[in-house]
Amino acid sequence: MAEREMPELTVEELIEVKRDWNKHSAAELKRIVDLFVSGEMADYQMAAWLMAAYINGLDERETVYLTDAMAHSGLTIDLSSIPGVKVDKHSTGGVGDKTTLVLAPLVASCGVPVAKMSGRGLGHTGGTLDKLESIPGFRVEMEPAAFIAQVREIGVAVIAQSPRICPADKKMYALRDVTATVPSIPLIVSSIISKKVAGGADAIVLDVKVGSGAFMKTERDAILLARALEDTGRALGREVVTVMTDMDQPLGCAVGNALEVREAIDTLRGEGPTDLYEECLLLGSKMLVLAQVADDEADGRARLAEAISSGRALECFRRWVAAQGGDPRVADDPSLLPSAPFTREVTAGSDGWVAQYDAEGVGRAAMLLGAGRATLTDVIDPAAGLVLHAKVGDKVSAGDVLATLYSSDEGKLLAGQVRFLGAVGIAPMEVAKRRLVHGEGA
Ligand code: URA
């Protein structure tokens, strides 16, 4: 269908286009983004447009146009002075997902430059920046020039998404979060891919989470999201590879900032939980192939496993932490990480098998203990969270410890315990362990 030539629609008319099921032209979407970033389109007008887009959808072309306009709504980072293919990874968000903490030093130790920008946690999912900041001294604010210099020098840097990069996404996401418009495939795609394009990645590995703790609750929706992410990324000249992984229980055992750093360090030593180790090898091997460092995924896995067993990955973690002002001794002495003065063990009430975790409920329990924030201004307790002692499919007896809860505020333990118990189900008959990978590629 030919695009209409109506570049000078008013904000109200732009909202009407989507309200009335029409398709936007590239010029209209760029205008919506520009007017919103400049403040000429008010928050309530953008909220109305977002709801119209949520309900009536954006087609493939509109999604590409919106993503492109958002990617160019602020500064873009030029990583071309860093030699090699710059591969980024991104997860659509989950509970206990600390893969970036493992993968950044792991793939860097295999020769792939990692120049990554990450976000903070909001709601039941944690944020990489909050986890990194639980390492004493670790700094996540850095100017683009210093960021690039660090990647050139030691091969890895993970910093806070600058407010000058993709300002459209920052403003739009804040509104989506409070207007029930987050779980829309075109809006998620434009949000994720615009940040990756603006951040300078040549290629991207995307981990699309599926299950109770994810935005996509069903495999069908996850496949649609994965396909849209690949199509939009490729339309904007980026190689995109997707993997769909389970979020019907937390990834690994630890949920909460310093607790997750500790588990990431264990994994870099080869002593972490199996599902986390497997997921890091899966995503990491795809990163190595995209970066043309490995011939194929089997070769990639072998290189990653060797980097862990030889200690090279952990040594890269030490250098990375030191370069960003953190105390590298945490790699060898995790007791230097913040630790909670108050703990409580939550036990199974009956014999049986762990049948299910409501991953979102587990994330909310960690939040109640102090590990997360309900609003962007809440202060996080870096030591708070929980560690699971049993995962889905594990046999337990009445009185066995299901999880240990941690908090710096004793008063929060009860609320965390009640929420946690509401999120776990024990069945009297044997339950199969959960599949980690639901699919690869779209
Ligand atoms: N992650 C993002 O960065 N954006 C979304 O819209 C959803 C998940």
Side-chain angles (χ1 to χ4, degrees):
M1 196 175 77
E3 281 172 6
R4 286 162 302 115
E5 291 287 330
M6 298 167 73
E8 290 309 320
L9 294 183
T10 64
V11 171
E12 205 180 319
E13 287 165 336
L14 288 165
I15 299 168
E16 279 172 14
V17 171
K18 207 26 69 187
R19 184 199 64 191
D20 296 343
W21 291 283
N22 290 309
K23 298 207 185 302
H24 280 299
S25 65
E28 285 170 8
L29 286 161
K30 182 166 169 6
R31 199 164 140 72
I32 289 173
V33 168
D34 290 348
L35 289 173
F36 182 53
V37 171
S38 69
E40 290 162 82
M41 180 175 188
D43 279 3
Y44 52 83
Q45 292 174 309
M46 179 51 100
W49 182 83
L50 286 168
M51 187 54 83
Y54 180 93
I55 293 171
N56 296 335
L58 300 172
D59 72 10
E60 277 173 38
R61 283 204 304 179
E62 290 175 295
T63 307
V64 172
Y65 297 151
L66 175 64
T67 308
D68 197 29
M70 289 169 68
H72 294 96
S73 63
L75 275 185
T76 53
I77 302 282
D78 179 2
L79 298 178
S80 59
S81 64
I82 301 169
V85 181
K86 271 67 69 182
V87 186
D88 203 346
K89 66 77 65 170
H90 187 86
S91 150
T92 56
V95 177
D97 185 351
K98 68 282 290 174
T99 50
T100 295
L101 304 184
V102 180
L103 278 171
L106 177 56
V107 304
S109 72
C110 293
V112 177
V114 177
K116 185 163 175 53
M117 296 190 192
S118 284
R120 295 193 182 278
L122 188 62
H124 71 282
T125 62
T128 298
L129 295 184
D130 300 317
K131 297 173 198 185
L132 287 172
E133 281 181 341
S134 73
I135 300 172
F138 199 102
R139 286 190 307 266
V140 296
E141 307 293 341
M142 212 185 275
E143 284 301 316
F147 169 60
I148 291 171
Q150 181 176 315
V151 180
R152 285 176 63 93
E153 201 174 316
I154 65 159
V156 52
V158 180
I159 63 166
Q161 176 85 42
S162 153
R164 288 175 292 159
I165 295 167
C166 253
D169 178 61
K170 203 175 166 64
K171 281 188 82 179
M172 284 165 78
Y173 197 89
L175 272 185
R176 286 169 60 208
D177 207 39
V178 291
T179 54
T181 50
V182 170
S184 144
I185 288 180
L187 297 180
I188 294 177
V189 168
S190 53
S191 165
I192 292 177
I193 301 290
S194 63
K195 283 183 290 222
K196 298 292 139 190
V197 168
D202 301 314
I204 310 150
V205 176
L206 289 167
D207 180 12
V208 178
K209 298 287 184 196
V210 196
S212 59
F215 292 127
M216 299 296 123
K217 308 287 181 205
T218 65
E219 271 191 19
R220 186 184 159 278
D221 283 346
I223 290 171
L224 292 176
L225 175 59
R227 191 171 295 153
L229 286 162
E230 290 187 359
D231 291 347
T232 305
R234 285 181 192 146
L236 294 172
R238 293 338 190 253
E239 190 53 51
V240 178
V241 169
T242 56
V243 181
M244 283 165 280
T245 64
D246 193 60
M247 195 29 73
D248 257 329
Q249 63 178 338
L251 181 60
C253 299
V255 182
N257 299 291
L259 296 166
E260 293 193 40
V261 170
R262 188 184 272 250
E263 189 168 89
I265 293 168
D266 288 345
T267 305
L268 286 165
R269 284 187 188 289
E271 294 165 5
T274 315
D275 60 345
L276 177 61
Y277 177 82
E278 276 306 313
E279 184 156 329
C280 289
L281 258 51
L282 174 70
L283 298 173
S285 60
K286 290 182 185 300
M287 293 173 80
L288 263 54
V289 172
L290 282 173
Q292 295 158 17
V293 162
D295 298 334
D296 54 29
E297 285 181 32
D299 179 31
R301 281 184 75 91
R303 287 171 190 261
L304 296 166
E306 191 279 328
I308 289 176
S309 60
S310 67
R312 255 188 311 120
L314 194 63
E315 178 50 26
C316 187
F317 176 85
R318 287 188 196 95
R319 270 187 281 127
W320 167 39
V321 169
Q324 291 192 228
D327 185 346
R329 293 175 304 160
V330 296
D332 305 288
D333 182 2
S335 72
L336 294 168
L337 289 165
S339 68
F342 302 105
T343 64
R344 178 170 297 183
E345 291 184 335
V346 184
T347 53
S350 57
D351 294 349
W353 281 261
V354 179
Q356 65 182 66
Y357 278 112
D358 162 17
E360 179 171 343
V362 176
R364 298 229 172 257
M367 246 180 94
L368 291 173
L369 293 164
R373 48 171 87 75
T375 71
L376 269 174
T377 48
D378 285 354
V379 176
I380 278 185
D381 169 3
L386 55 93
V387 175
L388 302 178
H389 297 267
K391 302 257 308 195
V392 172
D394 285 348
K395 192 170 188 313
V396 292
S397 303
D400 281 357
V401 179
L402 293 174
T404 307
L405 312 185
Y406 297 83
S407 185
S408 302
D409 178 346
E410 195 173 12
K412 291 185 172 167
L413 290 173
L414 181 60
Q417 178 178 3
V418 170
R419 194 73 178 88
F420 177 80
L421 282 172
V424 56
I426 310 276
M429 72 291 283
E430 189 166 355
V431 174
K433 293 202 180 286
R434 287 206 62 83
R435 192 160 47 107
L436 176 66
V437 181
H438 288 254
E440 295 185 35

